Amino acid sequence: MTRVLLTGGSGFIAAHTLDLLLKNGHSVVTTVRSQDKIDRIKKIYPDVGKDKLDFVIVPDIAVEGAFNEAVVSTPPFEAVLHTASPFHFNVTDIQKQLIDPAVIGTTGILRAIKKNAPTIKHVVITSSFAAIVNPEKMAWPGHTYSEADWNPMTLEDIKGSVPLGYRASKTFAEKAAWKYVEDEKPGFTLSTVNPPMVFGPIINHLQDLDNLNTSNQRIRDAALGKFKDEIPDSGVTLWVDVRNVAQAHVAAFEKPEAAGKRFFTTQGTYNNKQICQIIKKNFPQYKDLPTDSTPGGDYGEAGPFTADNSRSVEVLGLKYIPLEQSIVDCVKSLQSVGL
């Protein structure tokens, strides 16, 4: 059993990570932004005692010193899984709403650990394929993306684009984390998990279909008939199931050989047309899905992305969930809130 601090515990990936941590017998304290989020998580785990699941409210992760108290615990923490970071496109100020929370939140927790929590030996940070992909080349025919790739974006490249601002925030935050470890040589190791589009079931007390994580919104929209006449561009055509991302976070601190490594967690390729076909095959009650002749939703002119996920398989032991299972399980979970 390890005493673990999980930040952002009400998020889509974090909810699955929390579930797996508890199943693996770890003792977890999770940070959330409000008492309301604590109450909702407690409803999911009514029989789990305070010794196994406890909470700390951190209202704003971008405030200097936000994690100074959260990293201190009795008994003391041995690992931190830092998943808290903004991912939504309802943004009016890219610097204040995306880049600052990501970078300050990440470096802030590392500084807090070094200063206040010497027992912590492993830190795992949720990064993203956004920190790997080259936004100029995207699918990049002939290139296989791997952990060796870094998004080359600078602040000047954002030019007011929120999607580019999100990619930059993840890139800058991850680079800042690795630089901190290199410069400060703290008493803990660092690993990062870099997923692309994340699909799969919702287990984090979703109240309605409007508050869905960004990746799963296309599954909701397809089932609701929004793609009936034309299927939208698929964008990044690499994906992973949320349960595999959770497994990666937990394995990254449980396995010593994961220390000091990035992990590109992806099952492989998909496109929006395939998502529609899977829903149509498994859920005949949704009548407004596209037909095989509906335009759009393919891989685009550059074809599918190519990725190397071998490190996540060999080091973390991931066995990737197939696309059909992920989409079906997602739709079933959304039916509980009215899909």
Side-chain angles (χ1 to χ4, degrees):
M1 183 198 83
T2 302
R3 180 83 161 160
V4 181
L5 176 67
L6 172 69
T7 70
S10 63
F12 174 48
I13 292 170
H16 283 271
T17 305
L18 172 60
D19 201 53
L20 187 58
L21 286 167
L22 294 173
K23 282 175 180 167
N24 284 16
H26 299 299
S27 168
V28 187
V29 175
T30 187
T31 71
V32 290
R33 288 194 303 272
S34 65
Q35 182 62 44
D36 174 56
K37 291 190 177 347
I38 292 176
D39 296 340
R40 288 194 217 163
I41 296 172
K42 279 184 172 177
K43 280 183 186 171
I44 300 171
Y45 302 103
D47 302 323
V48 177
K50 198 177 170 76
D51 60 323
K52 283 289 188 183
L53 176 60
D54 208 353
F55 303 88
V56 178
I57 293 175
V58 178
D60 184 356
I61 66 170
V63 172
E64 193 64 43
F67 291 106
N68 283 354
E69 293 176 16
V71 298
V72 178
S73 165
T74 305
F77 294 118
E78 298 159 74
V80 173
L81 308 186
H82 180 52
T83 76
S85 186
F87 180 18
H88 51 80
F89 291 156
N90 303 321
V91 169
T92 52
D93 187 323
I94 290 169
Q95 185 74 42
K96 281 186 180 172
Q97 290 177 274
L98 283 177
I99 293 173
D100 287 351
V103 175
I104 296 169
T106 298
T107 54
I109 197 166
L110 297 181
R111 283 196 297 272
I113 292 165
K114 186 181 181 212
K115 180 181 173 187
N116 301 318
T119 57
I120 292 171
K121 299 302 176 193
H122 309 287
V123 176
V124 181
I125 292 175
T126 312
S127 186
S128 171
F129 179 59
I132 291 176
V133 69
N134 186 316
E136 295 274 310
K137 306 196 176 191
M138 289 300 281
W140 200 349
H143 181 74
T144 299
Y145 280 108
S146 74
E147 291 87 354
D149 291 297
W150 279 95
N151 181 338
M153 282 184 73
T154 64
L155 265 177
E156 291 70 42
D157 295 327
I158 299 169
K159 297 185 175 66
S161 162
V162 172
L164 289 180
Y166 167 73
R167 287 189 183 132
S169 76
K170 299 302 285 187
T171 305
F172 299 164
E174 190 188 344
K175 282 184 173 177
W178 288 113
K179 187 175 189 311
Y180 181 88
V181 170
E182 186 182 337
D183 292 349
E184 298 294 325
K185 298 182 173 46
F188 54 82
T189 63
L190 177 66
S191 305
T192 63
V193 179
N194 296 67
M197 302 301 289
V198 184
F199 303 141
I202 308 291
I203 60 169
N204 54 335
H205 51 260
L206 194 67
Q207 290 177 298
D208 55 55
L209 290 171
D210 293 332
N211 293 312
L212 203 52
N213 67 295
T214 306
S215 295
N216 271 338
Q217 286 173 9
R218 68 184 64 203
I219 299 170
R220 172 200 66 192
D221 290 349
L224 288 174
K226 293 185 180 180
F227 300 171
K228 184 179 180 182
D229 299 321
E230 184 175 1
I231 308 170
D233 178 58
S234 304
V236 171
T237 56
L238 291 170
W239 80 283
V240 64
D241 187 274
V242 64
R243 291 160 289 191
N244 287 134
V245 182
Q247 289 162 1
H249 281 79
V250 177
F253 81 84
E254 287 182 339
K255 294 176 182 284
E257 58 270 32
K261 293 183 176 70
R262 305 173 90 195
F263 292 97
F264 182 18
T265 51
T266 178
Q267 194 275 343
T269 59
Y270 80 98
N271 62 42
N272 283 345
K273 184 169 272 188
Q274 290 172 324
I275 289 176
C276 295
Q277 289 167 340
I278 289 168
I279 298 172
K280 193 169 193 173
K281 172 187 167 187
N282 291 279
F283 300 96
Q285 66 266 44
Y286 299 119
K287 303 295 186 192
D288 290 332
L289 285 155
T291 66
D292 289 343
S293 61
T294 303
D298 291 314
Y299 285 115
E301 289 178 22
F305 285 66
T306 307
D308 177 2
N309 65 5
S310 57
R311 179 184 285 181
S312 68
V313 173
E314 291 161 10
V315 178
L316 301 181
L318 295 190
K319 292 181 174 64
Y320 282 103
I321 292 166
L323 182 65
E324 183 163 357
Q325 182 186 340
S326 187
I327 303 302
V328 167
D329 290 349
C330 176
V331 172
K332 285 178 179 175
S333 74
L334 297 183
Q335 287 175 332
S336 69
V337 285
L339 184 65

